[in-house]
Amino acid sequence: MWRSIFLYIEGMMKVDSATILIVDDENDILQVIKAYLQKNNYIVYEADSGKGALKLFENLQPDLVVIDLMLPDISGEEVCRTIRKTSDIPILMLTAKSSEDDIVNGLLIGAHDYITKPFSPRELLARIISLLRRSHLQPNREEEHALAFGGGRLSINSGLHEVRMDGEILSLTPIEFKLLEILARHPKRAFSRY
């Protein structure tokens, strides 16, 4: 029963209005992706170079980056490495580089996902939704998000994955913890058991 409730709640948490930075030097591809994502309620910014991407990234702090590897000034790999120095946001590499070595290297330097061109806009959207959902369901441990109730009698700390009642740590399964956290973060929302 806990599992079905958790999966239902998780499915309801589609991340809308996320900010996405697309980096590609092919204008046709930029426009196709931009139109498709905007049609699905995402806020989209675009860059056609690595330097432009890094400048926009610094100013916007987007929720996700889609990046080509072959850029005119600095490579997509270098852009990925630079972003990884300060952020763990989802990065999806979308590129014509399709060898196994390219894919493995892209994932090892910090990409969360990798799609080769030609690509399906529907698949790209599905992967973006999945990456955003995972990034929002797994808070950064450095940012300990604590919730307190009942004058501090009950506390939920997402960063430490810990629940305390009157100062004592409660033993919860991962699903029970996530369910409690979701319900606590949305106190005025009614959830169906189905």
Side-chain angles (χ1 to χ4, degrees), residues 155-164 169-170 177:
S155 66
I156 303 168
N157 189 314
S158 300
L160 298 175
H161 200 76
E162 178 180 273
V163 176
R164 289 181 180 261
I169 296 176
L170 301 179
F177 178 87

Side-chain angles (χ1 to χ4, degrees), residues 129-171:
I129 291 169
S130 177
L131 287 170
L132 288 170
R133 184 182 304 127
R134 281 184 273 160
S135 72
H136 283 80
L137 287 176
Q138 299 174 358
N140 187 338
R141 286 189 172 267
E142 294 173 7
E143 301 171 9
E144 295 181 0
H145 304 283
L147 301 171
F149 303 93
R153 290 190 61 213
L154 175 68
S155 66
I156 303 168
N157 189 314
S158 300
L160 298 175
H161 200 76
E162 178 180 273
V163 176
R164 289 181 180 261
M165 180 67 158
D166 294 327
E168 292 186 38
I169 296 176
L170 301 179
S171 176

Side-chain angles (χ1 to χ4, degrees), residues 21-39:
L21 173 59
I22 309 165
V23 186
D24 201 308
D25 62 338
E26 295 181 51
N27 190 52
D28 291 345
I29 290 177
L30 277 176
Q31 297 314 310
V32 166
I33 297 171
K34 183 177 180 178
Y36 203 80
L37 293 178
Q38 286 178 333
K39 183 176 128 184

Side-chain angles (χ1 to χ4, degrees), residues 1-7 173 175-177 179-180 183:
M1 179 179 94
W2 280 99
R3 179 170 170 72
S4 61
I5 293 171
F6 175 70
L7 291 174
T173 67
I175 292 173
E176 290 169 337
F177 178 87
L179 180 61
L180 179 62
L183 293 173

Side-chain angles (χ1 to χ4, degrees), residues 55-115:
K55 186 172 183 176
L56 276 173
F57 176 80
E58 186 177 315
N59 293 332
L60 299 172
Q61 294 297 304
D63 297 301
L64 183 138
V65 176
V66 177
I67 188 166
D68 184 15
L69 298 182
M70 296 182 285
L71 299 171
D73 51 1
I74 58 176
S75 71
E77 291 96 341
E78 190 56 38
V79 173
C80 183
R81 283 187 197 95
T82 302
I83 290 172
R84 278 293 162 258
K85 290 177 184 175
T86 60
S87 176
D88 193 35
I89 69 156
I91 296 176
L92 189 154
M93 291 182 173
L94 177 65
T95 182
K97 289 186 171 184
S98 60
S99 75
E100 181 180 3
D101 287 342
D102 292 326
I103 295 169
V104 169
N105 183 54
L107 295 170
L108 290 177
I109 64 172
H112 288 88
D113 204 349
Y114 196 106
I115 300 178

